[in-house]
Amino acid sequence: MGRHILTCAALAAALTTTFPVAAQDAPPADTLSERTAIPGLDRPPMTARDLITMPRLGAPVVSRFGRYAIYAVTYTDEETLEREAQHYLLDLQVPGAEPVSLDLGLSGHSLAFGADNHLYFLSGDHPDESAETRQRLWRVALKDGGCVSTPSLLADMGPADIAGFKLSPAGDRIALWGEVQRSCESLACDPPEPATGSGRLYDGEIGFYRHWDHWVRPDVFNRVFVYPLENGTVGGDAIAVDGGDAPGALIANTPTRPFGGGDDIAWAPDGSALYFTARRADANEPGSTDLDIYVSDLSGAAPIELTAANTAYDANPALSPDGRHLAYVAMARPGYESDRTVVHLRDLTTGETRALTADVDLSFGNLTWSHDGSHLLASAADVLDTPVYRIDPASGAVTELNLMAGNEAHIGAFAPLPGGRLLFTRDSIGVPAELFLANGNRPAKPLTDIVTSHMGEMATTRTTRFSFEGAQGDTVWGQITRLENQEGPIPAILYIHGGPQGTFNDVWSSRWNARAVASQGYAVISVDFHGSAGYGQAFKDSINRDWGGKPLEDLQKGLAAALAEDPQIDGTRACAMGASYGGYMVNWIAGQWPERFDCLVQHDGLFDMRSFYYATEELWFPRWDFGGSYAEARDTYERWNPVNLVDKWQTPMLVIAGERDFRVPYTQGLQSFTALQERGIPSQLLVFPDENHWVLGAANSLQWHETVFDWLDRWLGEEPQE
């Protein structure tokens, strides 16, 4: 893949040229004919390698007054599959401005604009090759035309890695965070002497002993420290925002584990305080969704808990530009991770808190203020789209912005700009994310063409939305994605999403990608069954204690509705595939609908609800969905337990698992594979020793796709195996 990159030195010459961020040479003629073997196509369909090596746009960051945006594009080498990020600077005040590539001098990430016209970033590199490898904080001066100075080192907290940072609005302080012992007085803290042997010893009174894909290190937490920032140097005494050893200090993780980040942390506009999200790390943690928002006055005292009255989820603190109000999202029901997230507003002068969107049946996220503080912005899933909404802080009125002509699809990262403008990313099933700029009520304009033109060189797909009467007479939605010009009968793939309170909405995915599967010559049918997100909280709640009931009925009716919607789909040749809850449903289908499909693909699926319960880590999840612990709700767990139906299994199945998956431990996959082997059912097992609940590595992803596509072709190809 070739790249045409505009550098700061070439800026003037480039003003009259186009800027394809990424271009790909045409494939050789023999490869082209191979890939256009599907009848009706005049262009090659997308392959697994196309998907994996496609450039990926990151979330943009914007300068203080909204003139510049920086975004990263991650490139994957087609041969080695090694990945590298390149950053680009874009002048948002110049119509048609060309992005300028930034040479930071080091491989950097987590870029941020400072108040001093510098760019701050983290890097594991160092100009001194003898330096120890760890994440340090650097900065470069931003010059005219996108040129930058030589990087200078601001902070080295060895032996600890700096996991993230957030600059104060005035640029005179900086919050740094990383993993250190609770007894440490700063991020730069020597670890204790290691224990004899390699064993990890956990006391029964602790909470998590492993989480997502990591074993917890006893007494090690994500912690935030605030430092003075003077003359380009981080120094002075550190202030632990959790209170350190002060009376009433907090023992918790900030950012929260496993997916927390900079959104968990917010500066007061005047820099006098730091607001943050945390969940107490104690014996109750594996069963608790009680995240809370705290504030530290940066005196070193224990932080104040602002949301103690709510024992459920509180997160995403967002301070109004004038510093008077704190906005955040909250759930009402403790222990339920998929409850509706309602936008709350707290008056920091009076302490009065209001639930702004209590009467709106949407679940909001990505909360932020407009640049002038007149309103809030947040996104929420709605049917098959994820639009952005304007929220009035006085009345709570919610208005959809309608940023795109036609379907909104998926509006991802967004950043408010002065003058009512909005910078955002947008992607769909058909096209990966690109950067757009909206100005008032006018249609948004694309700012990048990272992959869109290249996608036009491939065989086009079309996605059709359809609805039908599902379980209990409710309206259920689904989508069909297929090659637009494919001729002849098209085999069907029933695509089953995870969660289960998730959705296969109109979004691009680098893992479960409907266009990539459809490009192999299949009609990909997804159904947002009862329990899915985007259809109101009652619809989402309806899967509770009914995992194999209404969702299976919806899938059965949805498949029939899709076949009626597009008569070109050949329902006599069909496979079903899914991951996580989708993998559970594949196991459930194997016993409850055993004669319907020619093959199954089960990734990280739950096989035995009893052994799953005693091996997973976030126990609040099964306790809510099944009405208690396994001991308390044994009948419900066993009612929907796939292992009880293995004697009915007969469909060939590909089983996939990751050894670092602690959510649905890989032994669930081993158990299902053993059941298949014992019954002589054609089967394969693909195990990744270095992957978690997801397959993220480029080479592993290619292997995943090639294995899945070979399995589908084995049973649905022109000469399927009996």
Side-chain angles (χ1 to χ4, degrees):
M1 180 175 292
R3 275 187 266 163
H4 305 273
I5 298 174
L6 180 64
T7 63
C8 63
L11 178 60
L15 291 176
T16 58
T17 65
T18 58
F19 185 79
V21 174
Q24 184 169 343
D25 296 332
D30 56 341
T31 305
L32 187 71
S33 61
E34 230 174 72
R35 292 170 61 190
T36 52
I38 300 171
L41 303 190
D42 58 358
R43 283 170 286 177
M46 186 171 73
T47 67
R49 190 173 290 269
D50 289 330
L51 172 66
I52 292 151
T53 60
M54 201 166 288
R56 300 180 183 182
L57 173 67
V61 293
V62 179
S63 59
R64 185 176 183 181
F65 298 108
R67 176 175 180 180
Y68 293 110
I70 287 178
Y71 59 89
V73 179
T74 299
Y75 298 94
T76 304
D77 187 275
E78 289 191 350
E79 300 302 323
T80 66
L81 299 181
E82 293 181 356
R83 287 175 173 155
E84 179 184 3
Q86 173 64 49
H87 292 88
Y88 297 92
L89 177 75
L90 186 61
D91 191 334
L92 300 176
Q93 291 185 355
V94 178
E98 301 288 354
V100 180
S101 68
L102 293 175
D103 183 2
L104 300 174
L106 299 169
S107 177
H109 63 93
S110 305
L111 273 66
F113 287 95
D116 53 1
N117 204 38
H118 283 73
L119 290 174
Y120 294 72
F121 64 94
L122 297 177
S123 177
D125 295 345
H126 198 289
D128 182 356
E129 294 182 359
S130 65
E132 294 183 9
T133 300
R134 58 174 166 266
Q135 295 293 323
R136 299 172 174 88
L137 179 66
W138 304 79
R139 76 169 185 173
V140 292
L142 182 61
K143 302 178 181 180
D144 290 339
C147 294
V148 297
S149 65
T150 301
S152 59
L153 179 63
L154 267 69
D156 183 350
M157 295 294 164
D161 286 300
I162 302 175
F165 68 95
K166 187 158 282 191
L167 293 156
S168 69
D172 58 347
R173 286 177 165 180
I174 189 168
L176 303 178
W177 58 86
E179 285 193 337
V180 291
Q181 283 73 27
R182 187 59 185 77
S183 58
C184 290
E185 297 179 355
S186 74
L187 192 55
C189 181
D190 292 327
E193 291 295 322
T196 302
S198 61
R200 291 180 289 260
L201 179 63
Y202 298 95
D203 192 280
E205 295 181 358
I206 70 161
F208 287 116
Y209 53 90
R210 63 180 191 173
H211 201 179
W212 185 244
D213 60 3
H214 282 80
W215 288 91
V216 173
R217 290 186 291 162
D219 197 43
V220 174
F221 302 90
N222 288 342
R223 299 184 65 200
V224 182
F225 296 87
V226 172
Y227 294 85
L229 181 59
E230 294 184 26
N231 300 320
T233 303
V234 174
D237 294 333
I239 299 171
V241 302
D242 57 17
D245 58 1
L250 175 67
I251 299 178
N253 285 288
T254 298
T256 55
R257 290 174 174 168
F259 303 122
D263 288 345
D264 286 340
I265 298 160
W267 280 96
D270 62 1
S272 63
L274 195 76
Y275 295 78
F276 60 94
T277 304
R279 178 170 50 219
R280 291 183 180 274
D282 55 25
N284 297 321
E285 190 177 10
S288 172
T289 58
D290 186 16
L291 273 68
D292 283 293
I293 296 174
Y294 296 79
V295 59
S296 168
D297 63 5
L298 306 181
S299 68
I304 297 172
E305 184 177 357
L306 300 178
T307 55
N310 181 30
T311 57
Y313 175 95
D314 303 281
N316 199 178
L319 278 296
S320 60
D322 62 7
R324 180 175 177 180
H325 292 98
L326 168 70
Y328 61 97
V329 298
M331 298 180 182
R333 289 175 282 184
Y336 186 20
E337 69 177 22
S338 297
D339 201 6
R340 183 163 59 103
T341 47
V342 174
V343 177
H344 286 63
L345 191 68
R346 180 185 179 95
D347 188 315
L348 294 174
T349 302
T350 66
E352 178 190 5
T353 301
R354 293 182 292 131
L356 285 182
T357 61
D359 297 329
V360 181
D361 201 3
L362 293 170
S363 196
F364 292 100
N366 301 320
L367 183 66
T368 190
W369 287 86
S370 63
H371 194 270
D372 62 4
S374 63
H375 57 272
L376 288 154
L377 295 167
S379 60
D382 185 20
V383 187
L384 296 168
D385 295 311
T386 309
V388 175
Y389 297 86
R390 178 189 293 112
I391 303 170
D392 188 317
S395 66
V398 175
T399 306
E400 184 179 338
L401 293 188
N402 290 315
L403 298 171
M404 305 294 298
N407 296 328
E408 294 290 273
H410 178 248
I411 306 299
F414 53 90
L417 303 173
R421 297 176 300 155
L422 188 68
L423 185 70
F424 63 93
T425 63
R426 189 257 190 185
D427 59 278
S428 66
I429 287 177
V431 182
E434 298 282 6
L435 193 61
F436 290 80
L437 181 63
N439 192 349
N441 295 322
R442 284 172 283 182
K445 295 182 178 180
L447 299 180
T448 60
D449 183 6
I450 295 168
V451 289
T452 302
S453 292
H454 178 54
M455 297 295 290
E457 300 170 2
M458 304 176 190
T460 57
T461 57
R462 72 165 186 252
T463 297
T464 303
R465 301 181 177 190
F466 67 97
S467 63
F468 59 94
E469 184 178 296
Q472 297 183 333
D474 294 332
T475 298
V476 177
W477 284 86
Q479 297 180 115
I480 304 168
T481 300
R482 47 159 291 187
L483 288 164
E484 187 168 26
N485 298 317
Q486 184 173 352
E487 297 175 353
I490 305 174
I493 304 294
L494 183 61
Y495 225 42
I496 309 171
H497 72 68
Q501 295 90 354
T503 172
F504 263 147
N505 54 357
D506 195 353
V507 62
W508 184 266
S509 172
S510 60
R511 295 179 291 114
W512 282 73
N513 188 287
R515 176 165 180 166
V517 178
S519 293
Q520 312 313 304
Y522 304 112
V524 178
I525 301 164
S526 60
V527 174
D528 272 1
F529 46 78
H530 278 77
S532 299
Y535 307 90
Q537 193 59 40
F539 189 85
K540 187 188 293 183
D541 291 347
S542 66
I543 197 173
N544 188 261
R545 309 183 199 189
D546 191 35
W547 267 36
K550 292 186 290 295
L552 177 59
E553 183 179 343
D554 290 340
L555 290 168
Q556 292 171 328
K557 291 181 175 179
L559 178 58
L563 297 177
E565 177 77 23
D566 187 343
Q568 196 175 347
I569 303 174
D570 182 1
T572 66
R573 293 187 295 155
C575 289
M577 56 189 294
S580 195
Y581 172 84
Y584 160 88
M585 180 53 71
V586 167
N587 286 331
W588 189 246
I589 283 172
Q592 289 280 14
W593 204 8
E595 298 179 355
R596 179 61 185 87
F597 296 100
D598 296 278
C599 74
L600 302 170
V601 179
Q602 183 259 99
H603 182 167
D604 293 339
L606 292 77
F607 171 76
D608 178 15
M609 303 308 295
R610 179 180 180 181
S611 61
F612 161 77
Y613 177 84
Y614 286 111
T616 193
E617 12 82 280
E618 292 184 350
L619 291 171
W620 65 73
F621 168 64
R623 288 175 184 173
W624 182 273
D625 273 30
F626 289 87
S629 69
Y630 181 83
E632 295 166 335
R634 180 182 288 105
D635 290 347
T636 305
Y637 284 90
E638 293 301 335
R639 180 184 181 187
W640 308 118
N641 197 348
V643 73
N644 295 332
L645 300 172
V646 292
D647 287 340
K648 296 182 179 180
W649 284 22
Q650 64 183 47
T651 310
M653 184 187 295
L654 167 63
V655 180
I656 307 173
E659 289 186 21
R660 291 178 57 191
D661 184 359
F662 300 158
R663 183 60 44 84
V664 180
Y666 78 100
T667 50
Q668 292 287 303
L670 302 187
Q671 293 171 44
S672 59
F673 187 59
T674 297
L676 293 160
Q677 288 179 299
E678 284 186 339
R679 285 152 184 80
I681 300 171
S683 56
Q684 289 184 345
L685 172 67
L686 176 61
V687 180
F688 293 100
D690 52 349
E691 298 287 0
N692 56 34
H693 202 53
W694 305 327
V695 176
L696 302 176
N700 289 343
S701 180
L702 182 59
Q703 184 183 13
W704 187 97
H705 283 87
E706 289 177 342
T707 303
V708 169
F709 292 165
D710 286 347
W711 184 255
L712 297 178
D713 185 63
R714 176 177 169 180
W715 303 102
L716 298 178
E718 293 183 3
E719 297 181 3
Q721 183 172 326
E722 293 296 333

